[in-house]
Amino acid sequence: MAHIFCIANQKGGVGKTTTTINLAAALAAIGQRVLLIDLDPQGNATMGSGVDKRQLAFSVYDVLLGENSIAQARTRSRWGEAAARQDMPTYDVLGANRDLAGAEVELVNLEQREKRLKNAIAESIHEYDIVLIDCPPSLSMLTLNGLCAAHGVIVPMQCEYFALEGLTDLVNTIKQVHANLNKDLKIIGLLRVMFDPRITLQQQVSDQLKSHFGDKVFNTLIPRNVRLAEAPSYGLPGVVFDPSAKGSQAFIDFAKELVHRFQST
Ligand code: ATP
Ligand code: MG
C-alpha cells in the first residue's frame, strides 16, 4: 500500500516545493514508484519536474472537480537530453496551473469537498509506493484536500525564530483535521532545510526543535545549496540537475531515511 505524504507549511518560501521535487526524484532514484501531486496554483512543482504547466492537457483541477481520474490526468516528469544521458529515473506528475486557483470557489458547492483528492487517489494508489503532495502556502481548501488524503505530513522548515511560531498553527490544524476528518493523519517529521551550520541562531533553533519534537525531527539536514536553487530554471530537481551537489546528496539521504522510517513502523 502506498504511503501518502503532504509537504506542508503555511509559511511561504520555506522550501516545500524544493523538498517535494527533490524527494520525488531521490525516491525514484532508489527504486520507489512515485506520484507527485502539485496542489499549488503556482505550478512550481510541475515546472520543476520538467512539465510545462501552460501545456497540460489535464491537471489536478480536473481531478478535484471530478472531470478526470488521476490515470487520465497524470503525466511523467521529463528530464531532457542532458539528464536523460545520466539515466535518472522519472516519476508521475499530476500537474497544476492557474486554473487551480478557481477550484477553491468551485469546490464549495460540491459534496465531500475536502475529500475529493482522497477519493481520486484511492483509484490509482496500487500503482505507487509513495505519493507526495506539494501544498500551497496557506491553510486553504486545497491544503485541506491534501491533508485529508494523506497518511502524514512532512514539514520543511528553516531554523529561524518565526518558524517555531508558524509551526504552532500548523500543528493545531493537523490536530483538527485528525480529530474531525482524517484519523490516519500524523506528523511524519520536521525537515530542517536551507540549513547553514555557521549561523548560531540556526543551531539554537535546531536544538530547540529537537528538544520539543524529539525523533519527529528528521536526522537528515538539507543544507543551503545554490545548485538546488538553480535547478528549477532548467526545469529539473537538483537531484537530477547535479546529483553530486551537497544538497542533492542530502535529498538522497533523506529519501533513504524516510523509506527506512516507514519500513520499520
Ligand atoms: P511557496 O510557499 O511559494 O510555495 P516553497 O515553500 O515551496 O514556496 P520553494 O519554492 O521550495 O519554497 O523555495 C523558496 C526559494 O528558496 C526558492 O527560490 C528555492 O530555489 C530556494 N531554496 C529552497 N531550498 C533551498 C536550499 N536548500 N538551498 C538553497 N536555496 C533553496
Ligand atoms: Mg511551493
Side-chain angles (χ1 to χ4, degrees):
M1 190 66 162
H3 295 267
I4 307 171
F5 300 132
C6 268
I7 320 300
N9 189 330
Q10 78 281 14
K11 217 166 133 57
V14 292
K16 294 179 286 296
T17 301
T18 305
T19 299
T20 311
I21 59 178
N22 282 287
L23 181 58
L27 285 166
I30 60 170
Q32 302 283 309
R33 297 169 303 161
V34 181
L35 169 65
L36 181 156
I37 299 178
D38 190 350
L39 257 194
D40 188 339
Q42 294 179 100
N44 293 343
T46 305
M47 297 295 279
S49 301
V51 176
D52 189 343
K53 64 181 177 184
R54 291 153 303 198
Q55 296 188 358
L56 291 173
F58 302 108
S59 70
V60 68
Y61 170 84
D62 303 289
V63 170
L64 286 171
L65 292 188
E67 305 288 332
N68 290 101
S69 66
I70 289 180
Q72 289 166 328
R74 70 190 164 197
T75 166
R76 194 90 185 152
S77 67
R78 281 191 277 276
W79 304 148
E81 274 172 40
R85 276 201 297 279
Q86 299 176 20
D87 204 20
M88 291 300 283
T90 54
Y91 51 84
D92 278 353
V93 178
L94 180 57
N97 55 30
R98 283 169 57 190
D99 293 349
L100 187 57
E104 196 82 34
V105 178
E106 290 168 64
L107 281 171
V108 169
N109 294 320
L110 298 183
E111 251 174 71
Q112 290 209 308
R113 59 188 172 183
E114 8 15 61
K115 303 221 168 135
R116 312 286 296 188
L117 188 64
K118 179 189 172 76
N119 296 338
I121 292 175
E123 290 175 28
S124 290
I125 193 149
H126 56 280
E127 296 180 56
Y128 300 103
D129 299 308
I130 300 189
V131 179
L132 298 177
I133 306 172
D134 186 27
C135 290
S138 62
L139 297 173
S140 60
M141 182 55 69
L142 292 170
T143 301
L144 199 56
N145 259 275
L147 294 176
C148 282
H151 301 126
V153 187
I154 295 169
V155 185
M157 55 184 304
Q158 288 171 259
C159 290
E160 291 169 351
Y161 175 70
F162 289 117
L164 290 172
E165 228 170 63
L167 205 53
T168 315
D169 293 340
L170 184 64
V171 169
N172 286 335
T173 305
I174 291 169
K175 277 188 187 154
Q176 280 183 23
V177 174
H178 177 267
N180 299 309
L181 294 163
N182 179 4
K183 285 267 168 284
D184 292 339
L185 190 69
K186 54 177 187 275
I187 294 186
I188 303 293
L190 308 177
L191 178 66
R192 293 162 291 171
V193 299
M194 298 191 228
F195 193 76
D196 185 344
R198 293 166 303 183
I199 301 175
T200 313
L201 178 66
Q202 293 209 2
Q203 283 289 3
Q204 287 169 347
V205 173
S206 173
D207 291 344
Q208 273 179 335
L209 272 181
K210 279 196 277 190
S211 61
H212 269 79
F213 292 94
D215 62 6
K216 285 282 179 200
V217 181
F218 288 111
N219 293 327
T220 310
L221 275 162
I222 308 297
R224 184 172 284 283
N225 178 222
V226 71
R227 301 299 269 171
L228 293 177
E230 285 169 353
S233 62
Y234 298 87
L236 296 171
V239 166
V240 176
F241 176 60
D242 184 354
S244 64
K246 272 207 165 119
S248 306
Q249 292 291 319
F251 273 111
I252 297 278
D253 290 344
F254 179 47
K256 290 180 184 162
E257 181 182 357
L258 190 66
V259 168
H260 187 259
R261 203 176 262 221
F262 61 70
Q263 273 172 353
S264 57
T265 51

